[in-house]
Amino acid sequence: MADQDKSKDQLIAEVLDLRRKAAALEESLDSTQSDDNQHAYNALKMEAIGRLAGGIAHDFNNILTAIQGNAELLQMDGFDQSERDDMLMQILAASRRATGLTRQLLDFARKGTFQIVAVDTTTIIEQTAALLSHSIDKRIDIKLDIQADPPAILADPSQIENALVNLGMNACDAMPDGGVLTLATRNIVLDDASCVDYPSEVVPGPYVEICVCDTGSGMDSKTRSRIFEPFFTTKDVGQGTGLGLASVYGCIKSHYGNIQVDSHPGRGTTFRLLLHAAETACASSDGAHDQSIMRGTGHVLVVDDEGIVREFLATALQKFGYSVSLCINGAEAVEYFKNSHRDIDLVILDLIMPVLNGPDTFRELKAIDPDVKVLISSGFSRNQSTNGLLDEGALGLLSKPFRISELAHALAKHLS
Ligand SMILES: Nc1ncnc2c1ncn2[C@@H]1O[C@H](COP(=O)(O)OP(=O)(O)OP(=O)(O)O)[C@@H](O)[C@H]1O
Ligand SMILES: [Mg+2]
């Protein structure tokens, strides 16, 4: 049976089984380093990854069902404005879930790296609360207790938002009959003495502590000791992949922060994240769409082989006031640019395209006009290829899926 024909439940059960077999083989590898065992282990690992991809595809199909279904409903008559707003929120919530999934996968593949900037924890907490409020049981009350002032941390905003959404979803899952989810922040300064209470990698300095606290089922010590293991889940087959907390843990560790959990059966759970405070002020929030800031003028050439991305960019850029030309691959873009480069103010260039890929297109555009302004748009955050192009003179990187406000700010920055 092809993987795509299997139910997600079956796939997850198979992945778990393969993982158990791989773990057993890994143990035996410690004692016997035979080539046969090594091959069997690698084959199992590859198979597990393949199955995992199948499982993720199923998750995506659910997400796409929500996006497509709500969008189609929006095309119909007979809904009032608040019902339409709800559908829009469902589309945004589903899109965020998909973003979270791809980021987790990219981290898994170690293809994504961080963009560390000053991040406003207040904004991130508010965005997380808004996002959760649309997708959780209405009997769960979300409370904010924001004390951190200054609120800025040094972090990758999307990674932190994903971590908080993961923690928030877990908290909600632990409260099937309702309860209170509290998201709190406060400033903490650690000196040498207080660092003793933390693992050795936590160094003295200013931090912001983010707490995600629920009044749910809580955990016994056995569960608590395993929660950060990849694929560890107590949820029914098909209900959880067990990757949520493993990715939260990875995220916090790569920010040189700390994560602690306090939980007891029947007494709820509190996760405490400790993240380095930022000395610089936060960049302005990208949550609210201030349409006056987004507006600009100029002629933008969009080069992307994905029709849906081209169409979206054309609509958004025209809405901001830019004129737009579209090319479906690098070769077409180079031809177009030869004749029209004097009229083009900026190029948004996809990296992975057939015929002529992004990096080669970039070089050919530069050969025609050494001062060409190019923003790279890529499904990966920074990696070797994007770093190389930034070194060669590309202005910046838009990591897909980017927010409308990120797009507008990037254009305003380079076209004002
Ligand atoms: N707030 C919480 N209250 C009670 N148990 C929790 C809480 N957070 C996590 N857990 C326990 O930790 C386990 C692992 O959590 P994790 O987020 O890694 O995976 P999951 O939620 O089971 O699946 P996924 O997040 O991949 O959908 C959960 O199955 C649950 O048993
Ligand atoms: Mg989870």
Side-chain angles (χ1 to χ4, degrees), residues 37-97:
N37 271 358
Q38 188 69 51
H39 282 142
Y41 175 61
N42 286 341
L44 270 176
K45 250 175 43 179
M46 291 309 295
E47 207 181 332
I49 288 169
R51 298 292 164 86
L52 187 64
I56 301 274
H58 278 259
D59 267 4
F60 266 110
N61 279 340
N62 287 334
I63 292 171
L64 290 171
T65 305
I67 294 176
Q68 187 174 293
N70 278 298
E72 282 183 349
L73 284 174
L74 275 170
Q75 285 182 318
M76 294 176 185
D77 299 329
F79 295 110
D80 64 25
Q81 195 52 43
S82 83
E83 287 171 316
R84 289 180 173 277
D85 287 348
D86 258 3
M87 291 167 199
L88 267 176
M89 289 312 298
Q90 295 292 344
I91 290 175
L92 287 173
S95 311
R96 291 291 192 82
R97 246 189 82 193

Side-chain angles (χ1 to χ4, degrees), residues 301 303 337 344-351 358 361-363 365-366 369-377 389-390 393-398 414:
L301 172 62
V303 190
F337 197 70
I344 291 171
D345 300 300
L346 187 141
V347 181
I348 297 181
L349 181 64
D350 185 25
L351 268 195
T361 307
F362 176 69
R363 283 167 207 130
L365 297 181
K366 273 199 85 163
D369 175 3
D371 296 324
V372 58
K373 292 182 173 177
V374 175
L375 279 174
I376 306 162
S377 95
L389 288 183
L390 292 170
L395 296 175
L397 170 67
L398 289 164
H414 298 295

Side-chain angles (χ1 to χ4, degrees), residues 166 170 235 244:
N166 264 316
N170 280 348
K235 292 173 187 166

Side-chain angles (χ1 to χ4, degrees), residues 132 157 197 233 244 250 280 315 320 330 336 339 343 355 381:
L132 288 171
D197 299 332
T233 179
T280 48
T315 310
F320 301 158
Y336 182 78
N339 301 322
D343 301 333
V355 190
S381 44

